[in-house]
């Protein structure tokens, strides 16, 4: 049994879990796993190699041979910094489409569990609490209204210089939510023992403070 403590933070896309999880990890001096980045890296590789979204065998091979390097908030794949590329909307949409395949998900399990190193891990994704780290000491399900999430995504994208349209973002978020929650393999849903937190009207600081309070109560 792995004794290294884990805080699992799951939730829908653009719920703010990435920023929140990174800040919680920094506050505790723990490691951080952005599991969505792994699905995005597989999607990016599939786009580059011309692999179709339903070619499960080829996608699973891509996932199995994935050797990303995470360092100081940047991610490198095959010797190239792809931090900004994997944030593109087309890469995120493909990540969501290929994440429905159970063999691909299974191929990423060991890679994800390998991030569990002392003194602890804060992991963010969709199935951190339900599948990857079911023994996590604290499980948080972070939500926010689709309007709040579209607004945040719009701001994020325009800060990076990518133009975006709120109506299209709303449509894309709804489609992504639907696909991530209705798939049969590891659907997005709170673990039975997860604490739910709606961040629609909370600042990042308030969300981080709440999670650290919950952690401190344990
Ligand atoms: O968190 P994100 O938007 O970067 O994730 C991109 C896609 O990857 C998401 O739409 C679904 C998939 N994903 C998943 O299926 N399981 C995870 N633990 C994380 C992400």
């Amino acid at each position: 049994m792995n004794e290294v403590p884990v805080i699992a933070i799951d939730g829908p896309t653009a719920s703010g879990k990435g920023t929140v999880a990174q800040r919680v990890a920094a506050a505790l001096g723990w490691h951080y796993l952005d599991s969505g980045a792994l699905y995005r890296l597989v999607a990016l590789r599939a786009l580059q190699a011309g692999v179709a979204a339903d070619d499960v065998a080829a996608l699973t091979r891509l996932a199995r041979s994935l050797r990303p390097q995470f360092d100081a908030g940047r991610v490198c794949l095959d010797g190239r910094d792809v931090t900004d590329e994997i944030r593109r909307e087309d890469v995120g949409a493909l990540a969501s489409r290929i994440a429905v395949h159970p063999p691909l998900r299974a191929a990423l399990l060991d890679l994800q569990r390998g991030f569990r190193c002392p003194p602890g891990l804060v992991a963010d994704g969709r199935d951190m609490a339900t599948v990857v780290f079911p023994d996590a000491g604290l499980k948080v399900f972070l939500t926010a209204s689709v309007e709040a999430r579209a607004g945040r995504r719009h701001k994020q994208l325009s800060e990076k210089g990518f133009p975006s349209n709120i109506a299209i973002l709303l449509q894309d978020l709804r489609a992504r939510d639907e696909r991530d929650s209705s798939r049969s393999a590891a659907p997005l849903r709170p673990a039975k023992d997860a604490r739910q937190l709606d961040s629609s009207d909370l600042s990042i600081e308030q969300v981080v403070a709440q999670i650290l309070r919950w952690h401190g109560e344990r």
Side-chain angles (χ1 to χ4, degrees):
M1 216 186 94
N2 194 328
E3 300 291 334
V4 177
V6 175
I7 297 178
I9 304 181
D10 291 302
T13 197
S15 57
K17 51 189 169 51
T19 311
V20 165
Q22 283 177 64
R23 294 213 192 165
V24 171
L28 297 171
W30 288 12
H31 300 280
Y32 164 61
L33 166 63
D34 171 7
S35 62
L38 303 182
Y39 290 89
R40 287 171 181 268
L41 287 166
V42 178
L44 180 64
R45 272 187 139 189
L47 283 174
Q48 289 167 343
V51 171
D54 58 356
D55 188 345
V56 183
L59 290 168
T60 303
R61 271 197 301 278
L62 290 184
R64 229 179 255 132
S65 61
L66 201 67
R67 298 283 179 277
Q69 287 167 319
F70 291 89
D71 187 28
R74 310 295 301 176
V75 54
C76 286
L77 185 68
D78 306 327
R80 218 159 50 80
D81 186 326
V82 293
T83 317
D84 299 326
E85 240 171 294
I86 61 166
R87 292 295 139 204
R88 280 187 347 225
E89 285 301 298
D90 61 328
V91 176
L94 182 61
S96 164
R97 289 176 62 202
I98 64 175
V100 302
H101 304 309
L104 179 146
R105 303 193 68 84
L108 292 176
L109 271 179
D110 283 349
L111 185 58
Q112 295 177 84
R113 290 180 178 148
F115 282 78
R116 188 172 190 173
C117 294
L121 176 69
V122 182
D124 103 55
R126 305 291 187 291
D127 60 345
M128 298 298 97
T130 50
V131 176
V132 184
F133 303 109
D135 61 337
L138 174 61
K139 302 177 176 182
V140 178
F141 195 78
L142 191 61
T143 55
S145 69
V146 70
E147 291 78 14
R149 289 185 286 131
R152 288 177 193 165
R153 178 56 61 87
H154 182 65
K155 189 160 165 266
Q156 238 174 29
L157 287 170
S158 57
E159 278 166 7
K160 287 188 187 143
F162 297 129
S164 67
N165 172 303
I166 288 267
I168 293 174
L169 284 175
L170 270 171
Q171 215 176 46
D172 178 62
L173 282 179
R174 288 199 176 101
R176 186 103 57 101
D177 284 354
E178 170 61 25
R179 198 163 38 229
D180 291 349
S181 327
S182 63
R183 68 180 179 219
S184 52
L188 169 68
R189 67 175 57 127
K192 277 197 292 294
D193 47 351
R195 294 174 182 250
Q196 300 217 26
L197 187 53
D198 184 334
S199 73
S200 307
D201 300 316
L202 299 178
S203 66
I204 298 275
E205 290 71 24
Q206 287 171 313
V207 175
V208 170
Q210 177 61 69
I211 294 174
L212 289 173
R213 255 195 313 275
W214 280 335
H215 172 68
E217 286 167 8
R218 301 187 52 83

